[in-house]
Each structure stands twice: as C-alpha cells, then as structure tokens.
Amino acid sequence: MSEIDPKIDALVPAWLYLPDIAERWGVVITQVRDMVRSRTLLAVRRGPNNSLQVPADFIEDDGQVKHLVSTLTVLRDCGFSDQEILEWMFTEDDSLPGSPIQALRENRGTEVKRRAQALAL
C-alpha cells in the first residue's frame, strides 16, 4: 500500500474510497480494511489526503469482480508489486481484446488467469 505512480494512476479511470465500498456492499468498514490487509483487495494511497483507494472497476454492487481475488493471487505469486498489478490489469491487451480488468468484468476470467500464469514462466 504505497502512493501510486502518476503514470499508473492515469490508467485507472475511477477510484473508490474504502468507506464508499463498505456502504455499497452494506458491510462495516473494518471488513473492507481486512480485505485490503489480507491482500484479497488491492488498494493504494492516492489523492491529496493520501487515502486508501480501490479502482472502481474492481468493485460490483455485491462484492469484488468475479475472479479478481484469484487473479491478484496469481500476479502476486509471479512477484508483481501492487503498482505492477494495476498497470497490467488496466493496460490494453490486443490478444484479449481489451484490458484484463475489462475481460474480468465480462466474465472472461479463465483467459485473464491463463495470461497471468504465463507471466510466471
């Protein structure tokens, strides 16, 4: 959880604060913080208050985007930092097509995880 690089920050179209996610999901804020702490949800410090924020594309009304947790795990196992994960997730990939996060949101998680696993080779 470090302050985000401006180049990577520019890739992510929208961000959510942890309290906003908790409200959206109808849970207490500590549950969202626990997800960040356990690394099942990726948050970075950004903005004038250096507050923890999550890419809005990672969040749906009832929880995280399907296959996001397993994709984060694969990328971390490959040695990716949080910033490298964000860069990879939001960079267009002609072979998908679109970005990996777009593919996850379209329920194409198997394709995304396959590409993430190939990064370890």
Side-chain angles (χ1 to χ4, degrees):
M1 292 180 288
S2 58
E3 192 169 334
I4 189 165
D5 181 288
K7 178 186 87 163
I8 295 168
D9 191 23
L11 286 174
V12 181
W15 297 87
L16 294 172
Y17 295 97
L18 301 190
D20 296 333
I21 295 169
E23 183 178 321
R24 187 171 180 177
W25 290 347
V27 301
V28 294
I29 185 67
T30 53
Q31 286 182 272
V32 179
R33 285 190 184 119
D34 287 345
M35 294 172 76
V36 172
R37 195 174 1 270
S38 67
R39 299 175 56 90
T40 58
L41 182 62
L42 192 154
V44 294
R45 295 206 175 272
R46 64 180 297 278
N49 297 329
N50 203 33
S51 59
L52 282 174
Q53 297 178 42
V54 174
D57 284 340
F58 287 1
I59 306 300
E60 294 186 329
D61 288 338
D62 58 349
Q64 294 185 69
V65 169
K66 188 176 178 182
H67 300 291
L68 177 64
V69 174
S70 56
T71 302
L72 292 175
T73 300
V74 169
L75 292 169
R76 286 184 172 125
D77 287 350
C78 290
F80 276 49
S81 68
D82 286 352
Q83 298 216 24
E84 290 168 330
I85 290 171
L86 287 173
E87 184 173 13
W88 187 81
M89 292 289 287
F90 285 91
T91 299
E92 295 286 321
D93 180 342
D94 292 337
S95 69
L96 276 172
S99 66
I101 189 59
Q102 286 174 308
L104 286 181
R105 293 186 67 81
E106 295 167 0
N107 202 22
R108 295 186 287 138
T110 303
E111 294 174 54
V112 174
K113 285 188 285 185
R114 194 174 303 127
R115 282 169 178 76
Q117 289 168 335
L119 296 172
L121 303 176

